[in-house]
Amino acid sequence: MRTSQFHLVTRKETPQDAEIISHQLMIRAGMIRKLGAGLYTWSPLGYRVLRKVEQIIREEMNASGALEMLMPAVQPKELWQETGRIEDFGGQLLAMTDRAEREYFFGPTHEEVITEFVRDEVTSYKQLPINFYQIQTKFRDEIRPRFGVMRSREFIMKDAYSFHLSAESLEETYRLMETTYTTILARMGLHFRCVLADSGAIGGSGSQEFHVLADSGEDAIMYSDSGEYAANIEKCEAVSLIADRAVPTAELSEVATPGKKTIEDVAEFLKIDQKQMVKTLLVAGIDGPVALVVRGDHHLSEVKAAHLPEVATPLCFLEEQEVRKLVGCDVGSIGVKDLNCPIIVDLTVANMSDFVCGANKEGHHLTGVNWQRDAEFTQQVDIREAQEGDPSPDGKGTLKQARGIEVGHIFQLGDKYSKAMNAVVLNDKGQAQALQMGCYGMGVSRLVAAAIEQNHDDNGIIWPAALAPFQVALLPMNYQKSVQVKKTTDELYQKLTDIGVDVILDDRKVRPGFMLSDFELLGIPHQVIIGDRSLDEGHVEYRHRKKMDKQKIEHAKIADFLQQQLSL
RNA sequence: CGGGGUAUAGCGCAGCCUGGUAGCGCAACUGCUUUGGGAGCAGUGGGUCGGGAGUUCGAAUCUCUCUACCCCGACCA
């Protein structure tokens, strides 16, 4: 490709509305342009990268035995009524109506569509297991789209759905997808981590997420510093930090803590460690309010809390007035003694003794509180967020925290959808049996942003070899005037093109500095600078976008040299 | 959906307070010079000042209203 035949529109200035580096660089390099909130046009340049991502995914999915297909993006509402997921997805569903007032959703995911397809198409256990996938545009009406294509409303996703007769077979394909995802991300040259995850609105039993590691990631992931354990913080098991409950040594007493409402304030006022305190949070339950108690220095995991059968979903904290009505004080003085509602405590809290909590009396706290003697809890369960320094749940090492961008999520759905939609096959005894199902998503457009987030410097993008829009850039100095430069460049261009190298020749009439910094921004991995100055000495210059130091290569050997670099 | 903000040329912004011929930088286009690190000079084109209504002799500017977008929060594969 020659730049004169291509469409390159780069910008020197960072766009005002782009917050994170990948968004800024994608706009500056001219890969994407915004059409509306969470809606982006992919330019020919950006689309090249998107296609590379797609192609790697496609090749590896095919290699795993999955079958590519294509489903409609527009889905009849009735389909969603069958599984009752309209409420689960809520406002994220983009609804529309046709001329006959029939209602549709623009597909945010395709469990219903594939299950509908499979229940008619797959009737015998002999057709199993089978794994279908597609690469397609989805729409999720995010409350707040942001960060460019990182969290857009319309986006491209690879979604795969597998069907099985048994849970064992599902498990097998699930593991196969885990290794396939690992291969895909490794081929893209990304640093990533597979972690245990919460399955959210998709549902099912087990699920794992694949995170590309980057400080700008929206998710926190916890991992053991010396074991295999890794989990999204939402899912990360938080073990009890106190092995056995000590016998009470302190007397129960009430102290005045005027105006001290936060754990921090009270701990400072009483000159005690926050670890000696407990935090009592009142939330709406299925049947009246429920108290959730975590240690003073811990955070409630809202995801874990929302999963408790006693707690209403979505999680909803009681309003100031409701609290006052129930316990007769403000939020800052709630405690566990004589609290008139079920009390669910975190595992660590259950083993605490001589602790401090609110007195359920405005401006007062209780010290020397002990379970059994002074208060009772209803149940103990893991409801706090794990934090750095906690022992790893698998007993090996301690937990560390990192930020990640979720680019893939695999689920073992079991029979959730097949039961709801009556998707059955006949087994070898001729009996109808509900299908076991797995689903495997990968954010194609998000991966492009994630790759940049992880691979850039002050001058622009540094594409991993597998994702670069072009492998080689030929950068002639004074191409328009110098016969020698033009001839050398054209010959090299022809040679590389002939052997199938993805090469771009910058034949624009621009000054050298402009050209060089443009290609730094674009991040083309291999760059060859061709100018009279070096040609007169019989060589051209080569630089790799990552290392940036210029290497003199004998003119006659550059094609071979490049081939060698490309195969590394 | 709650809170905060913005809307003027392709991009970044000034002008608004105090109403009176719509400007600057970058980008684009033409010409000349320059050609190994985002060039210089000269010139050109491009705007119903987000939409609507009102006040006024006169509105980018004041008032009302609608819309879009951005940020924070809750939500989230």
Side-chain angles (χ1 to χ4, degrees):
Chain A
M1 184 65 69
R2 288 167 182 266
T3 50
S4 60
Q5 313 289 308
F6 199 59
H7 177 73
L8 274 191
V9 182
T10 56
R11 292 211 222 293
K12 199 159 34 173
E13 284 144 8
T14 41
Q16 164 263 330
D17 60 352
E19 291 273 301
I20 60 169
I21 193 75
S22 60
H23 188 194
Q24 293 172 355
L25 290 173
M26 286 179 86
I27 300 281
R28 285 189 52 206
M31 292 175 63
I32 54 167
R33 296 289 183 234
K34 184 171 73 180
L35 179 65
L39 302 172
Y40 289 88
T41 296
W42 289 78
S43 73
L45 177 74
Y47 193 51
R48 276 186 162 251
V49 180
L50 195 65
R51 289 286 299 269
K52 298 243 169 156
V53 171
E54 273 187 27
Q55 194 50 31
I56 291 171
I57 293 174
R58 183 173 282 124
E59 285 170 15
E60 295 302 327
M61 288 303 289
N62 291 348
S64 80
L67 305 171
E68 186 167 12
M69 65 183 301
L70 186 60
M71 292 178 258
V74 175
Q75 310 178 6
K77 185 180 179 182
E78 291 75 48
L79 210 47
W80 284 73
Q81 284 166 337
E82 282 193 51
T83 55
R85 277 214 297 175
I86 297 176
E87 290 72 31
D88 295 347
F89 259 82
Q92 273 204 90
L93 284 167
L94 174 67
M96 52 192 139
T97 310
D98 70 8
R99 66 177 84 196
E101 300 291 311
R102 284 181 289 249
E103 296 181 279
Y104 299 89
F105 294 124
F106 195 108
T109 179
H110 280 66
E111 283 80 9
E112 281 82 0
V113 180
I114 192 72
T115 305
E116 204 272 345
F117 174 78
V118 164
R119 72 178 163 191
D120 294 340
E121 296 276 324
V122 178
T123 48
S124 159
Y125 74 98
K126 292 176 189 168
Q127 293 169 285
L128 301 175
I130 194 158
N131 193 3
F132 298 104
Y133 80 97
Q134 64 174 348
I135 295 174
Q136 191 211 32
T137 297
K138 308 288 188 215
F139 192 98
R140 295 186 187 178
D141 197 355
E142 297 279 352
I143 297 168
R144 194 147 92 81
R146 58 185 142 175
F147 304 148
V149 296
M150 187 75 85
R151 177 173 295 282
S152 51
R153 296 197 296 170
E154 185 178 307
F155 60 101
I156 297 174
M157 172 163 149
K158 185 281 299 174
D159 46 325
Y161 307 90
S162 70
F163 294 87
H164 313 266
L165 192 64
S166 67
E168 293 70 42
S169 169
L170 166 57
E171 169 90 17
E172 204 173 303
T173 299
Y174 179 84
R175 293 297 159 208
L176 177 60
M177 283 298 104
E178 184 184 343
T179 56
T180 301
Y181 273 35
T182 302
T183 309
I184 290 169
L185 296 174
R187 271 188 68 182
M188 292 178 186
L190 301 174
H191 296 118
F192 64 97
R193 187 111 202 193
C194 174
V195 306
L196 299 171
D198 185 69
S199 35
I202 304 290
S205 50
S207 90
Q208 286 164 284
E209 290 168 345
F210 287 78
H211 285 264
V212 167
L213 303 177
D215 290 340
S216 60
E218 292 188 86
D219 285 287
I221 62 180
M222 308 300 298
Y223 62 95
S224 161
D225 60 358
S226 52
E228 289 293 300
Y229 188 88
N232 190 307
I233 197 164
E234 295 176 355
K235 184 75 176 179
C236 185
E237 209 182 308
V239 300
S240 172
L241 298 181
I242 303 171
D244 296 298
R245 193 191 303 161
V247 291
T249 58
E251 291 298 311
L252 177 70
S253 68
E254 187 178 296
V255 293
T257 49
K260 308 297 176 190
K261 292 179 193 292
T262 66
I263 292 285
E264 202 179 6
D265 288 348
V266 175
E268 196 177 314
F269 181 74
L270 297 176
K271 298 192 169 43
I272 55 167
D273 197 320
Q274 293 184 21
K275 289 180 177 145
Q276 270 178 267
M277 299 187 59
V278 302
K279 195 174 347 188
T280 309
L281 305 157
L282 294 174
V283 301
I286 298 298
D287 194 20
V290 173
L292 303 174
V293 187
V294 295
R295 198 170 74 177
D297 60 320
H298 286 157
H299 292 285
L300 176 74
S301 164
E302 299 194 10
V303 173
K304 290 177 184 173
H307 280 316
L308 294 173
E310 296 81 1
V311 171
T313 315
L315 189 72
C316 177
F317 289 94
L318 259 51
E319 298 287 333
E320 183 81 40
Q321 310 91 292
E322 297 172 288
V323 170
R324 207 167 275 285
K325 196 174 153 201
L326 183 75
V327 294
C329 68
D330 74 341
V331 176
S333 302
I334 310 171
V336 294
K337 184 170 160 52
D338 303 325
L339 190 59
N340 187 26
C341 70
I343 299 177
I344 300 175
V345 303
D346 180 62
L347 298 175
T348 300
V349 172
N351 281 352
M352 286 171 73
S353 52
D354 296 339
F355 59 84
V356 175
C357 70
N360 293 332
K361 185 174 163 191
E362 193 91 23
H364 286 77
H365 279 73
L366 298 176
T367 66
V369 185
N370 281 278
W371 295 118
Q372 288 178 316
R373 193 189 71 183
D374 310 316
E376 295 284 354
F377 53 76
T378 320
Q379 60 164 309
Q380 52 177 324
V381 63
D382 170 18
I383 50 168
R384 72 176 174 94
E385 254 180 18
Q387 57 188 23
E388 246 181 336
D390 282 359
S392 176
D394 65 356
K396 295 172 194 157
T398 56
L399 291 176
K400 295 250 183 220
Q401 189 174 333
R403 305 296 302 180
I405 301 163
E406 184 193 342
V407 295
H409 199 159
I410 60 177
F411 305 79
Q412 294 186 46
L413 300 172
D415 58 11
K416 172 174 172 174
Y417 295 90
S418 46
K419 277 238 171 93
M421 296 182 64
N422 194 31
V424 298
V425 290
L426 295 182
N427 61 21
D428 60 358
K429 299 185 181 65
Q431 298 157 330
Q433 193 175 325
L435 284 160
Q436 289 288 310
M437 181 175 176
C439 92
Y440 319 95
M442 194 165 237
V444 177
S445 36
R446 181 180 285 182
L447 266 165
V448 177
I452 296 172
E453 212 53 49
Q454 206 172 66
N455 297 283
H456 65 269
D457 63 15
D458 291 347
N459 298 325
I461 302 167
I462 304 175
W463 285 115
L467 303 185
F470 298 97
Q471 291 301 309
V472 176
L474 300 183
L475 308 178
M477 305 287 103
N478 203 15
Y479 180 83
Q480 312 293 337
K481 292 259 177 73
S482 166
V483 176
Q484 162 177 247
V485 166
K486 183 170 191 315
K487 184 166 174 287
T488 310
T489 308
D490 287 348
E491 282 172 7
L492 183 54
Y493 175 72
Q494 197 55 52
K495 203 163 177 180
L496 292 170
T497 305
D498 287 347
I499 58 174
V501 176
D502 230 343
V503 54
I504 184 155
L505 189 172
D506 194 354
D507 57 353
R508 292 176 299 178
K509 195 178 168 185
V510 294
R511 295 173 60 83
F514 187 94
M515 186 186 288
L516 291 170
S517 38
D518 238 11
F519 278 83
E520 278 154 25
L521 174 61
L522 298 181
I524 309 303
H526 307 279
Q527 308 186 355
V528 181
I529 302 162
I530 302 154
D532 281 317
R533 192 197 282 173
S534 41
L535 277 181
D536 288 344
E537 296 165 20
H539 61 250
V540 296
E541 280 163 71
Y542 166 85
R543 64 173 186 176
H544 190 274
R545 176 61 182 86
K546 192 157 198 169
K547 303 185 194 83
M548 290 301 277
D549 54 320
K550 290 174 187 167
Q551 229 177 308
K552 290 181 181 178
I553 307 292
E554 224 175 290
H555 168 198
K557 294 186 178 159
I558 184 65
D560 291 340
F561 176 83
L562 283 170
Q563 264 191 287
Q564 201 185 340
Q565 293 295 314
L566 288 168
S567 62
L568 287 179

